[in-house]
Amino acid sequence: MKIIAATKNKNKLREFGEILKGFEIISQEEAGIDIDVEETGTTFEENSRLKAEAIFKAAGIPAIADDSGLCVDALDGAPGVYSARYGGEGLDDEGRVQLLLKNMENVPDEKRTARFVCVITMVSSGGVITAKGECEGVINHAPKGENGFGYDPVFYMKEYGKTTAEMSPDEKNAVSHRGKALKIFEEKVKGL
Ligand code: IMP
């Protein structure tokens, strides 16, 4: 089954392909679809559906999108759906991590709990399929690790003794929010 991944994020595209091995995942670029879908929703569910629906309408073949982000308890769930835009357009991944650390400088260790959340939506002529995955961790005081992307260098998982940026791609996929959501998604698609 051929599915377009409604993302221009190369890291997400790679993770989709690594986990959804039974499908032919093609990028928007490969499908010749050059549209940027505005994430106007206030939930991960709304935003992932907006993206998948827009790409399905443009391409006519099944489209899969994820909306994901980091929810920090001490910041009332921020940056949440705004994770990619935290601090405004001028910041890169490293800048967003530094801003997060600054906003949490007075938060004690026991209150630094956070989770990555990912909602996957596939829209096709057969309807809509949704799957959600979460991954619990704590926010470190300084970045560590070279792998992954986004907030991975400060997302520490106690049970593995490392940040998700210190994990290999396979290790991260086995425990991550996106890995979990994609596995649930795969089961749902198989059951059709
Ligand atoms: P969006 O889903 O394109 O809105 O972007 C989600 C944002 O959340 C990314 O740009 C990252 O900043 C963050 N994020 C989502 N998943 C991960 C992950 O697996 N590791 C680190 N950061 C992530």
Side-chain angles (χ1 to χ4, degrees), residues 14-63:
R14 176 180 49 77
E15 291 187 359
F16 281 154
E18 282 165 1
I19 299 161
L20 291 177
K21 294 211 169 81
F23 301 88
E24 188 189 342
I25 306 289
I26 62 168
S27 64
Q28 276 185 225
E29 209 176 7
E30 284 166 319
I33 307 288
D34 187 22
I35 54 174
D36 278 310
V37 183
E38 235 191 295
E39 296 183 16
T40 51
T42 54
T43 62
F44 295 113
E45 283 82 357
E46 271 179 89
N47 280 337
S48 72
R49 185 168 174 154
L50 278 174
K51 290 187 264 189
E53 243 162 20
I55 302 300
F56 171 62
K57 277 189 189 140
I61 63 169

Side-chain angles (χ1 to χ4, degrees), residues 12 15 39 51 66-70 81 83-84 93 116 149-152 172 177-178:
K12 285 188 183 179
E15 291 187 359
E39 296 183 16
K51 290 187 264 189
D66 97 330
D67 197 52
S68 52
L70 176 71
V81 292
S83 293
D93 274 355
F116 277 130
F149 67 102
Y151 301 92
D152 281 329
K172 182 182 164 190
H177 51 315
R178 189 166 301 99

